[in-house]
Amino acid sequence: MKSRRGLSTVVGTVFAIIALATVITYVTYSMNTLQQFNQEVMVKNTELIDQGKEEFVISKAELANNQQFNITVQNTGTLPIKITRLYIENKTDGGAYKYDINKDVPTGGLATKIGQNIGFIVDNTRSYEIKLVSERGNTKEVLMGQANAEPLDLQLHVIPSKVPSDFTTTVILAVTNNMSSKTTLLNIVPTISESGSATVTKLTPDPIPPKYGSLASGDTAFFKWNYKVTGTASQSKTFTASLNPSFPGNTASDTVTLADVSFSIQSGTSVQSTGLTTAKTPDNILILHQETQDALTGRQMYSGAGDNAITFNSSSTPTLTFFTKNDTQQNVIVDPGKWNATLRIVSNAVPDGLNAPDIIYHFEDSGSSVTDSSGNSRTMTVIGGASNSGSNGRDSTKAYLFDGISQYLDGPTPLTSADNIRGPNDVTAAWFKYTGTQNSNKKVIYRVGSDNTDYYEIAIGDGTAPNAGKLIFRFNTASGQVPPSPTGNCVQNSGRVDDGNWHHFVAFRDGSYTCRLYIDGNNPTGTEIDLSVCSSGCGATNADWVEPVGKANIARNPANNLDFFKGYIDDFFHWNSYSGGFPQNKVVILRDTNYGANAHKFDFKFERVKADGSNPQNIQTNTNYPVKFWDGKGSSTAWSGLDINYTTPSLPSWTFAKINDVDYGDRLKFTMTWKSGLNMSLRIDDPGLTNPITSFISVPKVSEAFPSYYTYSRATNPLLSIYNGGPYGSWITCLTRAVFDDISSTNSYAGALWYAGTVETCNKNRPFSNDSTLIKVGGTAQLKFNCPMLSPDSFAGQVTSCPSGTAPPLGQYRLYVFLSGYDETGNIFLRTTYIGLVRVVA
Amino acid sequence: MGLHHNRSKRGLSTVVTGVIMLSAVAVLGTAIVAWSNSNLFANQQILSTQLAINVNKIKESVKIENVWFQSSSPKFVNVTLSNLGTIGVNVTEVSFGNHTSTHKTTTITNGGILPGQTWSYKSVNYDWQNNSTVKVSVTTARDNIISTEASP
């Protein structure tokens, strides 16, 4: 049989093939589609991976000199990057700016100067946020701003922290940007201030460097200042540094302290020279001296104690001028502030032309007694609790207020030639202000005599109505006369004086029985009053004597314990016998004399002049400057105390230039001229005035002392005084020297130490040297040197006077002293001090 | 001797039946194949379209590049977008809010960004607060949502 394949099989096969082909086609398409999708996903993934792998940092962000940002980007990843955009947002004022950059940065490479040449000018007082964007969309930001948003880490170091005088120290400020916000700081500018007693001079005006343009987060900037420090050992200077601008209170401080020179072991003892046999005063204190050498047309003033006292009176010497010496090694810079003159004066008791009074009461002292300022010791006792408190007297001075009931001043007994009246030519003067009720009662101002026989009296009223309120000057010479001569009155007839106002009187008994009475400078009664005619016994010896017994009183009648005065009495004078007459012009002069704050009027002037006195530049001038009255209380040497007599307004800083090639440095000139008021005596250059010291000028702090006027006689051995300021006692050794540096040649001369105090330290006849005795803290010693020589020989020149031919030539020298010694702790010191200019004389 | 072969005898009905079956099968088969092909083609189209949409959505790459806040009046927020991809992007919506709520949503009609370009939007009078985080969300026409957070 043959096999038979039906058609169905064929058809089925065909359909199967068709179906299969269709399925295969669809499946193939689907797989291709899926593969495409997968490819896209893989591409996207690759992009995302690349975006994640991209790494770059802003390695530098600063402000360039052209006030534009200068940003550097570093590619720290493994793919090249492209910086496409820069955003700048002003965080202070608002506003944002976008710039297209398009800078390629290869792997490991840098893109620099981003931000330059885009035209954006940075205001370095503002804060900014900078954002850089890459082509893959990654960003990096940096904040740039001011240093005042947060406190920064500031450290200040003074290196070295202990230096000898005239040495330099370095001040270093470290600023670390530790801002929590990771801000890059713009424009870091340091500031520094100094405080303390030592003197410092900047060697460079600006810090090194003057500023940092920018400081990245975590970085540290360093600034440096160099200072020269001068002063005495143990003085110090504290430096305080900050930034501008800075967070409030963000400062750092450190201190430099002056110490003596040391080798390997430092001694803290301060032994310093105080001057050429005279003590030095602080650098800003200029003592007025009487010497005129090298002081142009005036007298010397410098920081050296007085040594040759003299008194000037303004009546004979109305003008005094003082100069500082010229020449210094450095400029003398006076700080801003007030300048003062403290003058030791005694005011004249009365104006010129008036005789010296026998009794003076100014009523300025407190307590239970009233001083007699004439020096005749007619001290009165305060009775009843009368008080002079306040400034109720004439010229705002003190004056006693009497209550008109029981208060008065009781004079001493017995009466003396100062107040016993006797013959004519008695003068009494005073100021009074009656504050009681106006009536006709008598109110005694001054009375001598405790009974009604002989007395001398000035009072208001006499108990009679016609004389109510009038000033009456009465004296009685009846004692011993039979019958007694009547009392006479010298009466002020112009009007009442019990009106509550101040009035001045001068009562002048110009003859046996005559008198003149001046009220407020006037004599309304005209000529002298002829009191009365002596009725009997008029030819007897001393018939016209007023011979009171008892005592003198102010504000009471001692004869009856009545007639109390109510009110103030001030500036009382009494001449028991005035020769030469007391005309009205003297009355007016006395009336017009101010015994208060305006007793004297002076012109004061400070000037800066050249070495030869030319080119005066006014520092401060005050005309008719008031100087207050100083009561010598009868002593011509009771000099005033520390009251500053003249003070300028606050002045700016002044510089007195050092010696140069053209001239020899500036001088300070001080002139005082008496103009009006009382005359006075001025004491200057007095070494005996120590507390307070003799007359001086004080200026604000100075960078160094004004040059001095020291002289050295080359026929003698140089003598220097030294002072131990502590903290340890010290010894001086033989290595100490005095050096004279000739300013007009290249020669210098030095003298070796011979004596330290009473100890002969270096002696040619002894193989070893001696050390001085211990100079205790606060103690002084005098150093005696061998004669200065070109080749100093510690064994030569040990004679009481320097032989001629070996000593320095006459002229000007700079004197240095080199001190060598050691202290109680065993530490050594070596110290060189510049004394100043010294004139070598024969 | 020889055997007499019986000859097969096919009747006409067999032929006709075969022809009819062939015709029917051909017609039916052709119809089925045609239907199958058209069905397959339609599915291919759908697949292709879907592929394109998804691929474009994947290709779309937008980043919010910068956000800054203006404090002086009038207050506003400025958003800058960057098209990092290779195809254009059309921003349709920008919204501001925080983690819990949306404060302001704005429909954008001119948000086209070409490849490599940037586009900025300033939302005026949006009352942002100091020291408060603002969530910025940007929606594209392809329904991609890009978000970021910024604080004044």
Side-chain angles (χ1 to χ4, degrees):
Chain A
M1 284 187 63
K2 290 183 182 175
S3 62
R4 293 183 181 234
R5 290 187 182 95
L7 274 168
S8 61
T9 302
V10 174
V11 170
T13 302
V14 169
F15 277 119
I17 290 171
I18 292 170
L20 192 62
T22 303
V23 168
I24 290 172
T25 302
Y26 188 77
V27 168
T28 302
Y29 176 76
S30 296
M31 291 178 66
N32 286 338
T33 301
L34 191 63
Q35 186 181 12
Q36 282 182 43
F37 185 78
N38 286 341
Q39 285 292 333
E40 293 299 330
V41 171
M42 287 171 61
V43 167
K44 184 68 175 182
N45 278 344
T46 301
E47 286 178 4
L48 293 174
I49 291 170
D50 285 347
Q51 196 177 67
K53 285 170 67 175
E54 187 180 81
E55 289 181 10
F56 66 96
V57 295
I58 299 177
S59 60
K60 184 168 73 173
E62 64 180 7
L63 193 62
N65 291 334
N66 58 2
Q67 285 300 113
Q68 297 184 40
F69 288 120
N70 182 13
I71 302 168
T72 300
V73 171
Q74 182 180 13
N75 185 349
T76 58
T78 55
L79 298 172
I81 65 174
K82 184 175 187 176
I83 304 298
T84 53
R85 267 173 297 282
L86 166 68
Y87 290 89
I88 300 173
E89 182 180 346
N90 184 331
K91 304 293 280 186
T92 305
D93 304 318
Y97 309 86
K98 181 181 73 172
Y99 299 92
D100 293 324
I101 303 298
N102 295 320
K103 276 206 174 186
D104 292 305
V105 190
T107 306
L110 297 173
T112 61
K113 298 184 180 180
I114 297 174
Q116 294 280 294
N117 303 318
I118 60 173
F120 184 84
I121 304 300
V122 178
D123 182 348
N124 55 16
T125 64
R126 299 295 188 259
S127 297
Y128 298 91
E129 181 177 310
I130 314 296
K131 180 186 283 187
L132 290 168
V133 185
S134 73
E135 192 177 35
R136 294 186 180 89
N138 289 315
T139 61
K140 277 288 184 291
E141 298 94 15
V142 63
L143 291 171
M144 302 181 79
Q146 296 299 297
N148 55 356
E150 296 176 31
L152 298 176
D153 181 11
L154 300 182
Q155 296 181 34
L156 192 71
H157 302 282
V158 176
I159 303 169
S161 61
K162 284 191 177 179
V163 294
S165 182
D166 293 326
F167 277 58
T168 59
T169 188
T170 300
V171 181
I172 297 175
L173 173 66
V175 181
T176 301
N177 183 356
N178 59 340
M179 278 200 166
S180 57
S181 57
K182 305 296 182 188
T183 301
T184 295
L185 298 176
L186 294 176
N187 202 38
I188 313 299
V189 178
T191 63
I192 195 164
S193 60
E194 309 102 13
S195 63
S197 54
T199 301
V200 293
T201 306
K202 272 186 191 174
L203 299 181
T204 53
D206 296 321
I208 302 168
K211 68 174 182 179
Y212 271 60
S214 62
L215 186 66
S217 177
D219 285 354
T220 300
F222 292 92
F223 300 94
K224 182 177 76 170
W225 294 264
N226 291 317
Y227 284 89
K228 178 180 172 183
V229 188
T230 55
T232 56
S234 79
Q235 285 186 325
S236 64
K237 201 73 161 181
T238 298
F239 301 91
T240 301
S242 184
L243 299 175
N244 181 24
S246 74
F247 191 83
N250 191 198
T251 60
S253 298
D254 202 357
T255 300
V256 62
T257 304
L258 285 167
D260 284 328
V261 176
S262 64
F263 283 140
S264 59
I265 302 172
Q266 175 150 338
S267 166
T269 299
S270 163
V271 177
Q272 55 189 322
S273 172
T274 60
L276 199 58
T277 72
T278 58
K280 265 181 63 69
T281 59
D283 292 345
N284 67 321
I285 302 294
L286 302 171
I287 303 296
L288 304 182
H289 287 256
Q290 69 156 305
E291 291 81 1
T292 59
Q293 194 170 34
D294 293 331
L296 301 176
T297 57
R299 302 176 186 272
Q300 301 173 354
M301 63 175 173
Y302 59 96
S303 296
D307 53 7
N308 192 9
I310 192 171
T311 300
F312 294 100
N313 194 285
S314 54
S315 59
S316 56
T317 310
T319 298
L320 286 169
T321 303
F322 298 87
F323 290 89
T324 59
K325 187 78 180 292
N326 60 309
D327 175 85
T328 178
Q329 290 183 310
Q330 289 188 332
N331 294 340
V332 176
I333 303 171
V334 180
D335 277 5
K338 296 182 180 180
W339 298 35
N340 301 306
T342 300
L343 308 173
R344 307 298 300 278
I345 66 169
V346 173
S347 300
N348 286 6
V350 288
D352 288 358
L354 268 64
N355 299 343
D358 294 302
I359 299 176
I360 303 175
Y361 299 124
H362 288 296
F363 308 112
E364 297 297 308
D365 296 333
S366 303
S368 59
S369 60
V370 177
T371 304
D372 172 14
S373 295
S374 71
N376 290 322
S377 303
R378 304 310 292 164
T379 303
M380 283 206 161
T381 302
V382 180
I383 304 296
S387 169
N388 67 342
S389 62
S391 303
N392 299 305
R394 289 288 301 169
D395 307 318
S396 299
T397 59
K398 290 182 181 295
Y400 273 94
L401 173 63
F402 302 99
D403 62 2
I405 299 173
S406 61
Q407 294 176 342
Y408 64 97
L409 302 179
D410 198 28
T413 55
L415 296 172
T416 67
S417 59
D419 54 3
N420 60 7
I421 311 303
R422 302 287 175 90
N425 298 315
D426 309 286
V427 180
T428 304
W431 284 90
F432 66 93
K433 180 165 78 173
Y434 179 79
T435 59
T437 304
Q438 288 187 331
N439 52 42
S440 60
N441 296 343
K442 183 165 78 172
K443 303 97 176 174
V444 167
I445 295 174
Y446 180 65
R447 178 176 169 117
V448 184
S450 300
D451 59 31
N452 288 319
T453 52
D454 279 38
Y455 57 87
Y456 178 94
E457 177 186 275
I458 297 102
I460 298 175
D462 60 0
T464 65
N467 289 331
K470 296 180 181 178
L471 192 67
I472 300 173
F473 174 33
R474 306 197 310 173
F475 53 90
N476 193 39
T477 64
S479 174
Q481 303 297 317
V482 180
S485 296
T487 302
N489 286 346
C490 205
V491 182
Q492 158 59 270
N493 284 322
S494 67
R496 301 181 77 113
V497 294
D498 56 349
D499 54 0
N501 296 318
W502 281 103
H503 295 284
H504 184 257
F505 75 87
V506 174
F508 180 24
R509 181 187 169 208
D510 62 349
S512 297
Y513 308 107
T514 58
C515 63
R516 298 171 188 268
L517 184 59
Y518 297 85
I519 303 296
D520 299 328
N522 298 314
N523 183 3
T525 56
T527 59
E528 62 188 17
I529 301 297
D530 185 356
L531 294 180
S532 66
V533 176
C534 181
S535 60
S536 68
C538 305
T541 303
N542 299 331
D544 60 352
W545 277 21
V546 175
E547 296 174 280
V549 296
K551 56 181 70 173
N553 270 192
I554 288 178
R556 184 190 81 143
N557 186 345
N560 57 12
N561 193 28
L562 293 173
D563 304 330
F564 289 91
F565 176 89
K566 183 173 183 178
Y568 297 94
I569 296 174
D570 200 5
D571 294 332
F572 177 94
F573 297 87
H574 177 76
W575 292 260
N576 214 44
S577 178
Y578 194 99
S579 63
F582 212 103
Q584 184 174 15
N585 67 311
K586 290 186 179 178
V587 172
V588 171
I589 290 172
L590 184 62
R591 178 201 68 185
D592 294 343
T593 300
N594 186 307
Y595 285 96
N598 295 288
H600 317 278
K601 293 288 182 71
F602 274 81
D603 288 349
F604 291 105
K605 181 186 287 188
F606 284 104
E607 296 171 284
R608 182 179 67 188
V609 299
K610 289 295 182 186
D612 61 356
S614 64
N615 192 26
Q617 294 170 298
N618 182 53
I619 297 173
Q620 179 67 26
T621 298
N622 288 91
T623 58
N624 292 311
Y625 191 92
V627 175
K628 73 177 184 182
F629 176 74
W630 177 259
D631 188 0
K633 296 182 181 175
S635 168
S636 61
T637 58
W639 307 109
S640 60
L642 258 183
D643 292 333
I644 295 174
N645 302 97
Y646 170 56
T647 300
T648 69
S650 189
L651 302 177
S653 174
W654 278 84
T655 297
F656 294 82
K658 62 181 179 181
I659 187 172
N660 54 38
D661 293 333
V662 178
D663 53 47
Y664 289 97
D666 295 331
R667 296 176 186 255
L668 170 62
K669 178 181 179 183
F670 173 66
T671 306
M672 51 184 295
T673 304
W674 178 87
K675 296 294 292 294
S676 63
L678 279 170
N679 278 301
M680 62 152 70
S681 295
L682 171 69
R683 187 70 165 177
I684 66 170
D685 206 5
D686 190 342
L689 296 176
T690 55
N691 188 24
I693 60 175
T694 182
S695 301
F696 63 90
I697 305 298
S698 66
V699 299
K701 188 167 70 72
V702 293
S703 58
E704 62 176 79
F706 283 93
S708 64
Y709 285 92
Y710 293 122
T711 59
Y712 160 61
S713 169
R714 64 180 184 179
T716 62
N717 297 83
L719 293 173
L720 268 91
S721 296
I722 59 172
Y723 166 77
N724 186 356
Y728 303 110
S730 299
W731 293 266
I732 299 296
T733 61
C734 188
L735 198 56
T736 299
R737 296 289 184 270
V739 178
F740 291 77
D741 181 19
D742 191 344
I743 66 169
S744 56
S745 77
T746 57
N747 288 328
S748 293
Y749 302 80
L753 182 66
W754 185 10
Y755 273 93
T758 57
V759 175
E760 189 178 29
T761 54
C762 312
N763 187 302
K764 62 181 177 181
N765 296 318
R766 211 174 44 241
F768 302 104
S769 63
N770 281 337
D771 299 337
S772 72
T773 55
L774 176 67
I775 305 170
K776 296 182 180 179
V777 175
T780 60
Q782 195 170 78
L783 303 181
K784 186 175 188 178
F785 294 87
N786 292 325
C787 301
M789 304 171 69
L790 282 172
S791 300
D793 185 342
S794 59
F795 300 126
Q798 291 184 342
V799 293
T800 55
S801 62
C802 297
S804 62
T806 60
L810 302 182
Q812 297 265 27
Y813 294 78
R814 290 200 179 89
L815 173 61
Y816 303 86
V817 61
F818 168 69
L819 291 172
S820 163
Y822 56 96
D823 66 20
E824 289 171 305
T825 64
N827 293 322
I828 63 172
F829 60 83
L830 299 168
R831 181 181 177 87
T832 300
T833 301
Y834 175 57
I835 304 299
L837 265 191
V838 174
R839 173 175 287 281
V840 174
V841 298
Chain B
M1 119 158 92
L3 289 173
H4 190 58
H5 291 282
N6 292 328
R7 285 195 186 170
S8 59
K9 294 189 177 166
R10 292 186 188 103
L12 188 65
S13 59
T14 303
V15 174
V16 171
T17 301
V19 170
I20 291 170
M21 278 186 66
L22 273 172
S23 299
V25 168
V27 170
L28 192 62
T30 301
I32 291 172
V33 168
W35 172 82
S36 170
N37 281 341
S38 68
N39 203 24
L40 183 64
F41 182 75
N43 283 335
Q44 282 180 339
Q45 288 296 319
I46 293 170
L47 203 60
S48 294
T49 301
Q50 197 62 38
L51 174 68
I53 290 172
N54 290 336
V55 165
N56 284 337
K57 193 169 183 179
I58 292 171
K59 279 185 172 181
E60 194 176 78
S61 179
V62 177
K63 182 150 187 184
I64 298 176
E65 202 168 73
N66 191 50
V67 179
W68 67 278
F69 299 84
Q70 175 69 26
S71 58
S72 57
S73 180
K75 290 171 70 171
F76 62 81
V77 183
N78 189 302
V79 181
T80 301
L81 281 77
S82 172
N83 185 352
L84 305 176
T86 54
I87 57 175
V89 171
N90 193 18
V91 174
T92 58
E93 188 178 273
V94 177
S95 65
F96 301 92
N98 55 25
H99 293 292
T100 55
S101 62
T102 300
H103 302 151
K104 183 177 179 181
T105 300
T106 304
T107 302
I108 307 298
T109 56
N110 59 339
I113 315 174
L114 293 174
Q117 300 299 309
T118 60
W119 176 85
S120 291
Y121 170 72
K122 182 165 75 175
S123 176
V124 183
N125 293 325
Y126 173 62
D127 189 22
W128 52 267
Q129 302 299 316
N130 278 334
N131 300 320
S132 293
T133 302
V134 176
K135 184 176 178 181
V136 181
S137 297
V138 174
T139 307
T140 68
R142 295 188 181 90
D143 288 330
N144 278 321
I145 298 177
I146 304 95
S147 301
T148 190
E149 293 180 354
S151 104

